[in-house]
Amino acid sequence: MHEFDPDERSSDEIARFVKTVVTPRPIAWISTRSEDGVDNLAPFSSYNYVSLKEPTVLFNTPNGDRDELKDTARNALDTEEFVVNVVTEPEIERMDHTSASLPPEESEFDLADVERADCRTVDAPRVTDAPISMECTLHDSLEVHDKLMILGDVQHVHVDEDLLAEGDGKLDMRDLPTVGRLGGPYYTVSDPVEFERQF
Ligand SMILES: Cc1cc2nc3c(=O)[nH]c(=O)nc-3n(C[C@H](O)[C@H](O)[C@H](O)COP(=O)(O)O)c2cc1C
């Protein structure tokens, strides 16, 4: 085996390595509204849930002074709100387009022609065509080396009714072609393998 010591590698090399190892990563397509009322939208694949009983999710983004933060992070901290929209296959291209680095006064909703809808519990908009959107309020933020971890409590969830199974109303993975991020310029679309769970 080749032995890999992170201390002997450049930060770019390590970043590329870790991002290829931790795959596929789920993608939070995060919508926020700035204090000036500009609607922002961007994808974040350093994303996951933390707690479930009281659902809390997190995403990570570079740390820095307020004016150095990405718009999503600044808006989430300023307004204490953000919305996680689930990305499915038909939206890959528009989702990718919203990773463009725009000045804070311009909206990726307009750039990528993404339709927005009002939320119930937060001012930030949601992506109309997302099959699921989770409205979140800021739980906390945590500096981890050069990154800022932003945690949000899920306050309300919008789910496309077609995704809910008749009878028990549960979500069925087979109907939700979620998109994941791989290393480099690659995405993947979920292709569930049914498995007889033993434990
Ligand atoms: C699929 C995908 C996943 C991304 N994940 C992250 C991430 O986890 N953290 C991050 O800081 N940037 C991530 N980016 C880059 C941001 O989307 C990009 O910097 C964007 O311009 C930020 O927008 P904002 O300044 O409007 O917040 C990702 C980009 C793509 C295409």
Side-chain angles (χ1 to χ4, degrees):
M1 293 292 271
H2 179 75
E3 307 303 328
F4 187 109
D5 180 354
D7 288 341
E8 291 169 5
R9 305 291 174 128
S10 73
S11 53
D12 275 359
E13 269 183 301
I14 297 163
R16 206 174 311 123
F17 185 83
V18 172
K19 283 177 168 179
T20 302
V21 171
V22 184
T23 53
R25 294 189 301 283
I27 298 175
W29 203 10
I30 300 186
S31 42
T32 53
R33 179 166 288 162
S34 75
E35 285 189 324
D36 295 334
V38 180
D39 293 338
N40 197 90
L41 183 62
F44 291 82
S45 63
S46 186
Y47 156 67
N48 222 307
Y49 68 78
V50 185
S51 63
L52 291 174
K53 225 171 178 182
E54 294 164 275
T56 301
V57 294
L58 69 82
F59 67 99
N60 298 298
T61 183
N63 198 4
D65 293 337
R66 188 179 172 281
D67 58 348
E68 293 169 335
L69 294 176
K70 295 194 180 185
D71 296 340
T72 304
R74 188 179 331 100
N75 295 345
L77 296 180
D78 284 352
T79 64
E80 304 198 348
E81 296 179 348
F82 62 91
V83 181
V84 172
N85 303 278
V86 169
V87 182
T88 48
E89 193 169 10
E91 297 296 324
I92 292 184
E93 209 163 319
R94 287 198 291 175
M95 173 276 292
D96 190 80
H97 203 172
T98 62
S99 69
S101 196
L102 294 187
E105 61 278 11
E106 288 178 32
S107 174
E108 295 83 3
F109 276 99
D110 300 328
L111 176 81
D113 201 20
V114 178
E115 195 182 315
R116 69 201 100 172
D118 287 341
C119 281
R120 292 265 180 102
T121 64
V122 299
D123 279 338
R126 64 188 170 91
V127 172
T128 310
D129 290 334
I132 301 173
S133 299
M134 299 191 289
E135 302 180 5
C136 302
T137 53
L138 187 68
H139 177 88
D140 210 344
S141 62
L142 178 69
E143 292 180 16
V144 183
H145 302 298
D146 61 333
K147 296 289 180 188
L148 183 66
M149 179 187 289
I150 296 182
L151 300 122
D153 293 315
V154 178
Q155 303 293 354
H156 186 82
V157 183
H158 303 260
V159 187
D160 181 341
E161 288 197 3
D162 291 346
L163 292 174
L164 300 175
E166 271 181 43
D168 64 6
K170 284 185 185 159
L171 265 181
D172 189 330
M173 182 67 232
R174 290 168 299 185
D175 298 326
L176 193 64
T178 45
V179 174
R181 181 100 194 254
L182 301 174
Y186 301 103
Y187 289 110
T188 183
V189 178
S190 62
D191 182 13
V193 177
E194 198 167 0
F195 192 76
E196 188 81 29
R197 299 293 307 275
Q198 298 172 57
F199 306 104

